[in-house]
Amino acid sequence: MKKLVAMLLLAYTPLSMACRYTPNSYVETDLQVRQLTVEGMEQRLALLQSGADTGALSRDESTQAKVQAVFNSQGCTAAQHHNYAARNAKLIADWYAAHVEQQRRRDDIAQRFTFFSNQLSQAAR
Protein backbone atom coordinates (compact mmCIF):
# COMPACT_ATOMS: atom_id res chain seq x y z
CA MET A 1 0.00 0.00 0.00
CA LYS A 2 2.81 2.42 0.85
CA LYS A 3 4.36 1.78 -2.57
CA LEU A 4 1.07 2.62 -4.25
CA VAL A 5 0.76 5.89 -2.33
CA ALA A 6 4.35 6.82 -3.17
CA MET A 7 3.79 6.04 -6.87
CA LEU A 8 0.61 8.12 -6.92
CA LEU A 9 2.39 11.04 -5.28
CA LEU A 10 5.14 10.87 -7.89
CA ALA A 11 2.63 10.60 -10.71
CA TYR A 12 0.75 13.65 -9.51
CA THR A 13 3.74 15.82 -8.65
CA PRO A 14 2.83 19.34 -9.74
CA LEU A 15 4.61 20.97 -12.65
CA SER A 16 6.16 23.45 -10.23
CA MET A 17 8.49 20.67 -9.16
CA ALA A 18 9.58 20.16 -12.77
CA CYS A 19 9.93 23.82 -13.74
CA ARG A 20 13.62 24.53 -13.26
CA TYR A 21 14.55 27.70 -15.08
CA THR A 22 17.96 29.24 -15.31
CA PRO A 23 18.27 32.76 -16.69
CA ASN A 24 19.35 31.26 -20.02
CA SER A 25 16.50 28.75 -20.27
CA TYR A 26 14.00 31.38 -19.11
CA VAL A 27 15.15 33.84 -21.80
CA GLU A 28 15.10 31.23 -24.56
CA THR A 29 11.59 30.16 -23.57
CA ASP A 30 10.46 33.77 -23.28
CA LEU A 31 11.83 34.69 -26.70
CA GLN A 32 10.20 31.65 -28.30
CA VAL A 33 6.83 32.49 -26.73
CA ARG A 34 7.07 36.14 -27.72
CA GLN A 35 8.05 35.23 -31.29
CA LEU A 36 5.14 32.79 -31.62
CA THR A 37 2.76 35.41 -30.25
CA VAL A 38 3.92 38.00 -32.79
CA GLU A 39 3.65 35.48 -35.62
CA GLY A 40 0.10 34.71 -34.51
CA MET A 41 -0.73 38.42 -34.45
CA GLU A 42 0.67 38.82 -37.95
CA GLN A 43 -1.46 35.92 -39.19
CA ARG A 44 -4.59 37.30 -37.51
CA LEU A 45 -3.97 40.70 -39.07
CA ALA A 46 -3.66 39.17 -42.54
CA LEU A 47 -6.89 37.21 -42.00
CA LEU A 48 -8.69 40.27 -40.68
CA GLN A 49 -7.57 42.34 -43.63
CA SER A 50 -8.86 39.64 -45.98
CA GLY A 51 -12.31 39.82 -44.37
CA ALA A 52 -12.22 36.87 -41.97
CA ASP A 53 -14.77 36.63 -39.16
CA THR A 54 -13.51 38.57 -36.14
CA GLY A 55 -15.05 36.04 -33.75
CA ALA A 56 -12.96 33.25 -35.23
CA LEU A 57 -9.86 35.42 -34.98
CA SER A 58 -10.30 35.93 -31.25
CA ARG A 59 -9.96 32.17 -30.75
CA ASP A 60 -6.46 31.65 -32.06
CA GLU A 61 -6.04 28.10 -30.83
CA SER A 62 -3.09 27.39 -33.12
CA THR A 63 -0.88 30.04 -31.56
CA GLN A 64 -2.08 29.13 -28.08
CA ALA A 65 -1.20 25.48 -28.67
CA LYS A 66 2.27 26.38 -29.94
CA VAL A 67 2.92 28.64 -26.94
CA GLN A 68 1.68 25.95 -24.57
CA ALA A 69 4.00 23.42 -26.23
CA VAL A 70 6.98 25.69 -25.55
CA PHE A 71 6.03 25.97 -21.87
CA ASN A 72 5.43 22.21 -21.70
CA SER A 73 8.88 21.54 -23.16
CA GLN A 74 10.32 23.29 -20.09
CA GLY A 75 7.95 21.57 -17.66
CA CYS A 76 6.45 24.95 -16.81
CA THR A 77 3.15 26.75 -17.01
CA ALA A 78 2.65 30.32 -18.18
CA ALA A 79 2.04 31.37 -14.57
CA GLN A 80 5.31 29.78 -13.43
CA HIS A 81 7.09 31.51 -16.28
CA HIS A 82 5.76 34.90 -15.21
CA ASN A 83 6.47 34.18 -11.55
CA TYR A 84 10.09 33.32 -12.37
CA ALA A 85 10.43 36.66 -14.17
CA ALA A 86 8.94 38.57 -11.25
CA ARG A 87 11.15 36.85 -8.69
CA ASN A 88 14.32 37.06 -10.78
CA ALA A 89 14.05 40.39 -12.62
CA LYS A 90 17.56 41.53 -11.70
CA LEU A 91 19.12 38.18 -12.58
CA ILE A 92 17.39 38.26 -15.98
CA ALA A 93 18.39 41.90 -16.58
CA ASP A 94 22.01 41.04 -15.75
CA TRP A 95 21.84 38.08 -18.13
CA TYR A 96 20.56 40.32 -20.93
CA ALA A 97 23.30 42.85 -20.20
CA ALA A 98 25.85 40.11 -20.80
CA HIS A 99 24.06 38.82 -23.94
CA VAL A 100 23.46 41.88 -26.11
CA GLU A 101 22.34 39.93 -29.18
CA GLN A 102 19.51 38.32 -27.23
CA GLN A 103 18.52 41.75 -25.89
CA ARG A 104 18.36 43.05 -29.47
CA ARG A 105 16.23 40.07 -30.45
CA ARG A 106 13.86 40.78 -27.55
CA ASP A 107 13.67 44.47 -28.46
CA ASP A 108 12.92 43.59 -32.09
CA ILE A 109 10.13 41.23 -31.06
CA ALA A 110 8.73 43.91 -28.72
CA GLN A 111 8.68 46.47 -31.55
CA ARG A 112 6.89 44.00 -33.82
CA PHE A 113 4.41 43.24 -31.04
CA THR A 114 3.59 46.93 -30.67
CA PHE A 115 3.27 47.35 -34.44
CA PHE A 116 0.88 44.40 -34.87
CA SER A 117 -1.08 45.33 -31.77
CA ASN A 118 -1.71 48.80 -33.19
CA GLN A 119 -2.55 47.38 -36.62
CA LEU A 120 -5.00 44.87 -35.16
CA SER A 121 -6.69 47.60 -33.11
CA GLN A 122 -7.12 49.77 -36.21
CA ALA A 123 -8.30 46.89 -38.40
CA ALA A 124 -10.91 45.82 -35.85
CA ARG A 125 -12.64 49.22 -35.90
Side-chain angles (χ1 to χ4, degrees):
M1 182 68 160
K2 288 183 181 180
K3 280 186 177 181
L4 177 61
V5 170
M7 288 184 353
L8 287 173
L9 285 173
L10 288 174
Y12 292 103
T13 300
L15 282 177
S16 63
M17 301 288 289
C19 186
R20 302 267 191 254
Y21 276 134
T22 64
N24 184 60
S25 63
Y26 167 82
V27 167
E28 284 304 315
T29 301
D30 194 58
L31 291 174
Q32 288 175 14
V33 165
R34 289 171 186 265
Q35 180 64 37
L36 288 169
T37 301
V38 168
E39 289 170 5
M41 293 170 78
E42 185 174 14
Q43 292 168 357
R44 284 192 304 278
L45 179 61
L47 289 170
L48 190 58
Q49 290 172 334
S50 70
D53 174 36
T54 56
L57 292 174
S58 67
R59 299 180 306 275
D60 184 10
E61 294 168 3
S62 172
T63 297
Q64 292 173 7
K66 290 175 187 175
V67 166
Q68 189 59 50
V70 171
F71 287 133
N72 290 347
S73 74
Q74 293 296 318
C76 296
T77 65
Q80 290 167 323
H81 181 81
H82 296 299
N83 287 339
Y84 179 88
R87 287 190 320 268
N88 296 284
K90 176 150 178 28
L91 194 60
I92 294 165
D94 291 346
W95 190 94
Y96 271 121
H99 299 85
V100 178
E101 184 57 36
Q102 297 297 56
Q103 178 64 51
R104 280 191 214 120
R105 185 173 160 210
R106 182 174 187 246
D107 292 345
D108 177 59
I109 294 169
Q111 287 176 347
R112 291 178 56 222
F113 179 90
T114 299
F115 172 78
F116 286 117
S117 181
N118 291 336
Q119 293 294 309
L120 284 165
S121 293
Q122 291 174 6
R125 290 182 192 161

